[in-house]
Amino acid sequence: MIRLRLERRTDTPVWMQIVLPIAAVVLALLICSVLVAMAGAPVLDAYSYLFLSTFQTFYDVQDTLVKASPLIWTGLAVAVAFRAKFWNIGAEGQLIAGAMASAFIGQRAFLPEITLIPLMLLGAMAAGAAWALIPALLKVKLKVDDVVTTLLANSIMLYGLMALLEGPWKDPVSNYPNSPVIREAAQFPILIGDTLHMGVAISIIAAIIVWWLMERTTTGFAIKAVGANPQAASYAGFSVGKVMLTAAAISGALAGLAGAGEVGGIRYQVVSDVSSGYGYAGIVIATLADLNPLGVIPAALFFAVIMNGADAMSRETGVPVYLANVIQGVALLTMVAGRLFTLYRLRITRREVAHG
């Protein structure tokens, strides 16, 4: 009789770590092609509009890179937190906290112009880190479930933002729930073209820095050690609580910088939909990248492409724009399922059947 069983791997081949995200995306597209067909559209035509429309003009390329920037930040934030087994579902709220802090600083008339952008970035990092540290402290000190607290913290921060936009920050002229516009000196410089701002370059550099932090420093080693086995890490001399708090602070700071990028590089003020779900998308991006900071860059670019291409696909073929969200969700599921085979290998065994 033939039996199938899972056998834990002693190590995972490098090629498998590279191929797995690609295979997960391809499988997700194959699954979603059924939905495209059900919508009555040619699958190849729909996917060509979805992926190629974002590269038709230089402006389209710029727009895709700008869209990828906050996704890189939130993907990095989740990757660092998850490495330490701090299940940070709160990048959305931390992004909003960073946006609010950067907008507040960017409006200050008494600050010298040259200090505005650096202070906005530092303020966004501090706000995001502080908001992430609250659920981290609850987990470390009181053993409160971090999935629940980080998720609830998103709603608290969102309603706090709405209270500001409908109150002190409400535009007295237009009566719109928008914060005041930041000073011109606080707006990020445009590097190339019309929209490619400084924040895009910083996010890519940040991915390299976070990779170096995780792979080449004691802090990164401690974070990975605590995530892999807290008991062994504690026995080796690491303070599990302090390491987890450090990971939470770094994670929140990265998410906060996504908010600074939205305020300083695109909107120049805070609006109610300043995040647009980037925090939640960061969870899928980090998972698709297998928590690798460098892998976050192509994963974020893939998401930016399907987000921007969804409108063109819908306009040309009639497929609902929500298919982009479905692809994201299915890619997450296929990646999680595929990771099983990076940890285990499938073994086929034969067992003789006794005959009476």
Side-chain angles (χ1 to χ4, degrees):
M1 187 173 82
I2 297 176
R3 295 181 60 192
L4 298 177
R5 65 184 179 87
L6 292 175
E7 180 182 278
R8 191 169 185 87
R9 296 178 182 272
T10 55
D11 61 338
T12 303
V14 175
W15 68 265
M16 185 174 289
Q17 296 176 353
I18 298 173
V19 169
L20 178 60
I22 300 173
V25 169
V26 171
L27 181 57
L29 293 175
L30 288 174
I31 294 172
C32 291
S33 65
V34 177
L35 300 178
V36 175
M38 290 175 63
V43 174
L44 292 180
D45 288 350
Y47 280 162
S48 65
Y49 285 116
L50 180 65
F51 291 105
L52 300 182
S53 63
T54 55
F55 300 102
Q56 289 182 343
T57 66
F58 182 57
Y59 180 84
D60 293 331
V61 175
Q62 292 179 71
D63 195 36
T64 300
L65 291 173
V66 169
K67 178 76 76 174
S69 180
L71 296 171
I72 292 174
W73 287 120
T74 56
L76 291 173
V78 173
V80 171
F82 280 20
R83 277 289 189 185
K85 291 292 194 295
F86 173 60
W87 306 116
N88 184 14
I89 315 298
E92 186 85 355
Q94 294 145 26
L95 184 156
I96 295 173
M100 292 166 63
S102 60
F104 178 81
I105 294 170
Q107 299 160 17
R108 300 307 96 192
F110 61 84
L111 291 174
E113 290 187 355
I114 197 171
T115 66
L116 284 174
I117 292 179
L119 288 177
M120 284 173 62
L121 296 175
L122 290 173
M125 292 173 66
W131 198 242
L133 280 171
I134 295 174
L137 283 167
L138 290 173
K139 177 175 183 174
V140 170
K141 299 298 184 182
L142 301 176
K143 308 301 180 185
V144 180
D145 191 309
D146 45 349
V147 173
V148 175
T149 52
T150 53
L151 186 60
L152 292 177
N154 290 336
S155 297
I156 295 171
M157 184 56 67
L158 177 60
Y159 286 122
L161 170 64
M162 294 307 299
L164 273 176
L165 294 181
E166 294 290 350
W169 272 358
K170 193 168 187 177
D171 192 323
V173 178
S174 66
N175 213 31
Y176 288 152
N178 301 330
S179 75
V181 177
I182 61 175
R183 294 169 59 185
E184 186 174 350
Q187 299 172 11
F188 290 178
I190 300 297
L191 301 180
I192 302 174
D194 302 317
T195 60
L196 195 63
H197 59 81
M198 178 188 73
V200 178
I202 295 177
S203 65
I204 295 173
I205 294 171
I208 299 172
I209 293 173
V210 172
W211 174 85
W212 175 83
L213 173 73
M214 297 299 295
E215 300 296 330
R216 297 289 186 267
T217 69
T218 305
T219 300
F221 177 78
I223 289 173
K224 291 191 291 184
V226 167
N229 192 323
Q231 290 77 21
S234 178
Y235 183 78
F238 293 111
S239 172
V240 174
K242 288 182 180 179
V243 171
M244 190 166 292
L245 291 175
T246 300
I250 295 172
S251 175
L254 291 167
L257 283 170
E262 290 300 288
V263 171
I266 301 176
R267 302 176 185 269
Y268 308 135
Q269 60 182 172
V270 180
V271 296
S272 58
D273 63 341
V274 65
S275 176
S276 302
Y278 293 139
Y280 297 114
I283 299 170
V284 189
I285 289 168
T287 304
L288 197 60
D290 201 18
L291 306 186
N292 185 321
L294 295 181
V296 164
I297 297 175
L301 286 171
F302 168 72
F303 270 56
V305 166
I306 63 174
M307 284 179 174
N308 281 355
D311 287 332
M313 176 188 66
S314 179
R315 185 172 58 252
E316 298 295 336
T317 66
V319 176
V321 294
Y322 301 110
L323 180 68
N325 296 328
V326 176
I327 293 174
Q328 294 174 27
V330 175
L332 173 63
L333 295 176
T334 53
M335 182 65 186
V336 170
R339 283 203 70 204
L340 178 69
F341 295 99
T342 66
L343 301 175
Y344 298 89
R345 57 167 55 91
L346 196 62
R347 287 291 190 189
I348 302 175
T349 59
R350 294 178 180 272
R351 188 175 68 177
E352 295 296 331
V353 179
H355 297 281

